[in-house]
Amino acid sequence: MALDVPSLDEALALSDRLAGHVGWLKVGLELFVRAGPEGVTRLRQRAPIFLDLKLHDIPATVSRAVSAARALGAGLLTVHAAGGPGMLRAAVERAEGLRLLGVTVLTSLDQSDLEAAGCTLPLEAVVERRARLAVGSGCAGVVASPQEASRLRQALGADALIVTPGVRPSGSEAGDQRRVATAREAIAAGADLVVVGRPIRDAPDPAAAARSIAAEIADGLGGR
Ligand code: C5P
């Protein structure tokens, strides 16, 4: 569950409401900038922490940030695969028990966004190239959209973790996400973990929304 909320109190309240319904608590940029390491330490007592900081900088800076994240006791940490082989290797060297996920192409981007940023390859090819680079550099897995999960499962094999945001119950708002699918589709396509934020956070009954996504996940596992 993505704890995309503006304060630690709200994150703690939401994680309490969702206790038993979600496997990981994802601390992203908004919450980390507001609640910092103390927030991670408090939330870690409730469930394992997925620290979604999407690190992307020179190798020396990223390796020091990875050490700091490891000391916080997070279980998963994101780095941008576009940071290149040197940055990824530097991150992996410091990760030890912390599992790194390489972000391939943000799920809010489509082909025209990539082209606007100077990347003219087909989007799926960019996702696959960055995924291979991340896992080849020692990352435990990748973040991609559900639409690429099956291609990535083929490319990366059974051991790589495939984590998919951009998950929406059918008929719900996509918001700023461009490459979306349901949790059932993501899991059936080979994803190991789905990341869900707004469809749970903004639901009138977040625990009921989480339960319904859990049912879709079970359905998707049945469809493999
Ligand atoms: O609200 P929503 O379900 O769209 O939230 C998706 C979460 O996944 C957000 O916290 C966002 O930062 C994160 N994310 C993403 N796309 C990626 C990597 C992470 O949407 N490629």
Side-chain angles (χ1 to χ4, degrees):
M1 166 67 196
L3 294 174
D4 293 331
V5 290
S7 71
L8 180 56
D9 284 347
E10 283 166 86
L12 291 167
L14 187 55
S15 64
D16 284 343
R17 292 185 76 173
L18 297 173
H21 300 301
V22 299
W24 290 82
L25 297 175
K26 188 173 84 68
V27 176
L29 288 175
E30 178 187 12
L31 185 58
F32 193 73
V33 169
R34 289 189 188 270
E38 192 215 329
V40 174
T41 311
R42 300 267 306 275
L43 288 162
R44 202 181 69 196
Q45 289 152 18
R46 289 164 161 77
I49 300 297
F50 173 178
L51 199 48
D52 188 16
L53 299 182
K54 298 190 184 72
L55 302 177
H56 189 172
D57 209 317
I58 61 170
T61 300
V62 167
S63 79
R64 295 170 75 94
V66 169
S67 292
R70 196 185 69 222
L72 293 181
L76 288 169
L77 172 70
T78 48
V79 296
H80 269 290
M87 187 204 86
L88 291 166
R89 279 196 304 272
V92 166
E93 269 167 28
R94 296 291 186 94
E96 296 178 19
L98 170 60
R99 286 185 291 172
L100 298 182
L101 298 172
V103 176
T104 56
V105 173
L106 292 171
T107 43
S108 55
L109 301 180
D110 63 17
Q111 186 71 46
S112 66
D113 295 314
L114 276 191
E115 280 166 20
C119 189
T120 51
L121 285 176
L123 188 145
E124 289 78 15
V126 179
V127 169
E128 184 175 332
R129 187 178 290 194
R130 290 183 186 171
R132 286 182 185 277
L133 174 64
V135 171
S137 304
C139 289
V142 299
V143 182
S145 98
Q147 297 173 9
E148 295 105 38
S150 116
R151 176 173 178 160
L152 291 181
R153 181 56 69 206
Q154 293 272 328
L156 302 175
D159 291 343
L161 267 180
I162 298 177
V163 177
T164 60
V167 164
R168 293 290 178 268
S170 49
S172 73
E173 289 286 317
D176 57 0
Q177 298 286 20
R178 294 285 168 271
R179 303 188 335 272
V180 298
T182 65
R184 188 186 58 72
E185 290 164 336
I187 294 291
D192 297 292
L193 289 176
V194 295
V195 174
V196 186
R198 286 163 288 187
I200 295 177
R201 182 196 70 187
D202 298 340
D205 181 348
R211 275 198 303 275
S212 132
I213 287 176
E216 281 200 49
I217 291 172
D219 213 23
L221 284 170
R224 275 189 185 171

